[in-house]
Amino acid sequence: MTPDEKYEGYAAADLEPAQLERLKALENELRESANQDIILIAYEENEAGTP
């Protein structure tokens, strides 16, 4: 399965600024507790599952 196939039917989520800040805060919290470079990505399902 290629990366394109894996995420087919999903698009980057359109987050509100406050939601994006919460995501970044969680990302930093996980990065510090795991001592690893962690990046969180938010996807949402496309309407009717179409790309």
Side-chain angles (χ1 to χ4, degrees), residues 1 3-4 6-8 11 16 24 31-34 36 38 41-42 44 46-47 49-51:
M1 177 180 291
D4 288 339
K6 187 174 184 177
Y7 298 107
E8 186 175 317
E16 299 289 328
K24 288 179 181 180
R31 185 176 293 129
E32 289 176 10
S33 67
Q36 296 179 353
I38 295 175
I41 303 171
E44 60 185 354
N46 288 332
E47 291 183 29
T50 57

Side-chain angles (χ1 to χ4, degrees), residues 15-51:
L15 300 177
E16 299 289 328
Q19 294 170 320
L20 184 57
E21 287 304 313
R22 287 180 61 195
L23 186 67
K24 288 179 181 180
L26 179 57
E27 192 175 68
N28 287 330
E29 180 183 321
L30 291 171
R31 185 176 293 129
E32 289 176 10
S33 67
N35 198 29
Q36 296 179 353
D37 192 20
I38 295 175
I39 298 171
L40 300 178
I41 303 171
Y43 285 102
E44 60 185 354
E45 193 168 6
N46 288 332
E47 291 183 29
T50 57

